[in-house]
Amino acid sequence: MNEDYMNKTVCASCGSAEVDGIKLKECNACKSVRYCSDACQKNHKSQHKEACKERAAELHDEILFKQPESRHDGDCPICCLPMPLDKQKSFMMACCSKTICKGCFHANQKREAKASLNSSCSFCRQPVPKKDELGKQRMKRIEANDPVVLCEEGIELYNKGDHQSALEYYTRATGLGNVEAHYQLAYMNRDGHGVEKDWRKYLRHLVVAAIGGHPTARYNLGCIEWHNGNTERAAKHFIIAAKLGDDDSIKSLMDAYRGGFVSKEDLAAALRAHQAAVDATKSPQREAAEEYYQNKD
């Protein structure tokens, strides 16, 4: 009988089968064996420890090195194209906290000008809040636990030097699944801003951000692995980030190729995927907006 099947159907310690009311529970770390009781799990610990540690590491790497379906910032909610790689080419609307690309923002401005309409949000079509209303509008979104606004508030407070308050907002945002907040928390823990320096927490938040599709977090993990001499793991990180459109990862892959650490085929595949990711963010509407704002400046 298949060993994996046996591990899933009988207690790894006493051999009791999952019958007659006996319920088996998985080892939380490796998910490969099951036990009928806490006592059996404790008795089997010394025998299972090494195999458990090895399998848990394999499971972690399966998750860590899985290519994300998209970047953490997702698509523009109007044109449904991936958000521009340059954050300066998108806006967060104050009324609904939706982030939209400059192309859609400019297209809405043109529509309003042509029809002599008052300024409204490109997404929700609500009137654009006046300057003295912006604070109240943001507070409404904060009270509604909007993770994007919580993170943005954290960034503003951090830049003002209020690290303790920034920490609180980032923590709230991570609890709601915001990937950017994990990235920001990583560097607060690395630098000891608002918290004691903690390398483990730095890595933990960086890993969560990378798994969530944050290309810079992924690239930084690659740099850490490279610095530690783990060139194969570093290359995997760089390839994943490159496929998300990260330019720095392409440069690192080229250096790795010249050093003999990355094959010609892997580099070529990463270059093609990187170009595809960049091209996916382009559109005539976005190009027109970029030209307009460049001429305006």
Side-chain angles (χ1 to χ4, degrees), residues 145-199:
N145 277 331
D146 186 317
V148 175
V149 180
L150 289 170
C151 183
E152 287 297 318
E153 185 73 10
I155 291 173
E156 286 195 16
L157 289 166
Y158 181 88
N159 291 335
K160 291 176 181 177
D162 188 353
H163 297 157
Q164 196 60 49
S165 295
L167 175 66
E168 294 174 7
Y169 279 103
Y170 288 150
T171 302
R172 285 175 64 185
T174 57
L176 296 165
N178 187 271
V179 172
E180 180 64 32
H182 276 289
Y183 179 72
Q184 298 296 334
L185 273 180
Y187 284 90
M188 289 191 75
N189 280 280
R190 186 197 68 174
D191 300 333
H193 292 167
V195 292
E196 291 185 12
K197 289 185 179 181
D198 192 321
W199 186 259

Side-chain angles (χ1 to χ4, degrees), residues 7-8 36 39 53 95-96 106 135 138 155 165 187 194 200 205 220 236 242-243 263 277 280-281:
N7 288 339
K8 293 289 187 179
C36 65
K53 187 176 180 180
C95 46
C96 57
H106 179 55
R138 171 167 284 209
I155 291 173
S165 295
Y187 284 90
R200 288 187 177 182
H205 284 295
N220 289 341
K236 287 181 179 179
K243 290 179 178 180
S263 70
T281 67

Side-chain angles (χ1 to χ4, degrees), residues 226 231 252-263:
W226 187 270
T231 55
S252 294
L253 283 171
M254 288 180 172
D255 289 339
Y257 169 69
R258 285 190 283 267
F261 299 107
V262 173
S263 70

Side-chain angles (χ1 to χ4, degrees), residues 91-98 100 104-106 108-109 111-113 117-138 140 293:
F91 297 100
M92 188 177 80
M93 307 310 295
C95 46
C96 57
S97 74
K98 290 292 184 181
I100 65 169
C104 291
F105 183 83
H106 179 55
N108 185 55
Q109 284 187 318
R111 179 187 66 86
E112 290 171 343
L117 300 173
N118 293 328
S119 295
S120 63
C121 172
S122 305
F123 181 78
C124 69
R125 299 302 193 210
Q126 292 298 310
V128 174
K130 296 178 181 179
K131 285 187 178 181
D132 59 349
E133 298 174 340
L134 291 176
K136 292 180 180 179
Q137 190 65 35
R138 171 167 284 209
K140 284 183 180 179
Y293 287 113

Side-chain angles (χ1 to χ4, degrees), residues 264-282:
K264 183 178 181 179
E265 293 75 19
D266 285 343
L267 176 61
L271 285 167
R272 289 193 297 270
H274 172 268
Q275 189 60 52
V278 172
D279 289 344
T281 67
K282 296 178 179 179

Side-chain angles (χ1 to χ4, degrees), residues 2-262:
N2 184 280
E3 184 177 349
D4 289 338
Y5 175 78
M6 289 294 293
N7 288 339
K8 293 289 187 179
T9 57
V10 300
C11 175
S13 179
C14 69
S16 297
E18 192 172 34
V19 293
D20 299 330
I22 297 176
K23 297 292 183 182
L24 303 180
K25 64 175 184 177
E26 280 186 333
C27 171
N28 287 329
C30 70
K31 313 294 184 184
S32 60
V33 295
R34 303 174 80 188
Y35 299 99
C36 65
S37 66
D38 291 339
C40 274
Q41 186 169 8
K42 187 176 180 179
N43 291 336
H44 195 243
K45 184 177 180 179
S46 59
Q47 296 173 255
H48 180 55
K49 185 176 180 180
E50 290 303 318
C52 180
K53 187 176 180 180
E54 182 178 340
R55 180 55 184 155
E58 290 175 356
L59 289 174
H60 176 266
D61 280 359
E62 286 177 12
I63 296 171
L64 177 61
F65 291 112
K66 182 179 179 181
Q67 181 72 40
E69 294 182 2
S70 62
R71 294 203 323 272
H72 70 294
D73 46 2
D75 301 337
C76 172
I78 298 177
C79 65
C80 297
L81 294 178
M83 293 299 293
L85 298 164
D86 184 353
K87 289 187 176 181
Q88 300 300 315
K89 296 181 180 180
S90 60
F91 297 100
M92 188 177 80
M93 307 310 295
C95 46
C96 57
S97 74
K98 290 292 184 181
T99 301
I100 65 169
C101 70
K102 268 188 177 180
C104 291
F105 183 83
H106 179 55
N108 185 55
Q109 284 187 318
K110 288 174 64 179
R111 179 187 66 86
E112 290 171 343
K114 186 177 181 179
S116 300
L117 300 173
N118 293 328
S119 295
S120 63
C121 172
S122 305
F123 181 78
C124 69
R125 299 302 193 210
Q126 292 298 310
V128 174
K130 296 178 181 179
K131 285 187 178 181
D132 59 349
E133 298 174 340
L134 291 176
K136 292 180 180 179
Q137 190 65 35
R138 171 167 284 209
M139 189 54 61
K140 284 183 180 179
R141 301 308 304 164
I142 289 172
E143 290 172 354
N145 277 331
D146 186 317
V148 175
V149 180
L150 289 170
C151 183
E152 287 297 318
E153 185 73 10
I155 291 173
E156 286 195 16
L157 289 166
Y158 181 88
N159 291 335
K160 291 176 181 177
D162 188 353
H163 297 157
Q164 196 60 49
S165 295
L167 175 66
E168 294 174 7
Y169 279 103
Y170 288 150
T171 302
R172 285 175 64 185
T174 57
L176 296 165
N178 187 271
V179 172
E180 180 64 32
H182 276 289
Y183 179 72
Q184 298 296 334
L185 273 180
Y187 284 90
M188 289 191 75
N189 280 280
R190 186 197 68 174
D191 300 333
H193 292 167
V195 292
E196 291 185 12
K197 289 185 179 181
D198 192 321
W199 186 259
R200 288 187 177 182
K201 286 184 178 180
Y202 162 63
L203 287 179
R204 179 166 60 83
H205 284 295
L206 209 59
V207 164
V208 174
I211 291 171
H214 199 296
T216 310
R218 179 69 68 175
Y219 168 72
N220 289 341
L221 284 178
C223 292
I224 292 169
E225 293 288 10
W226 187 270
H227 179 75
N228 291 335
N230 301 321
T231 55
E232 184 177 347
R233 293 176 68 85
K236 287 181 179 179
H237 284 303
F238 292 146
I239 288 171
I240 291 172
K243 290 179 178 180
L244 294 172
D246 185 68
D247 292 338
D248 289 331
S249 292
I250 285 293
K251 295 174 185 176
S252 294
L253 283 171
M254 288 180 172
D255 289 339
Y257 169 69
R258 285 190 283 267
F261 299 107
V262 173

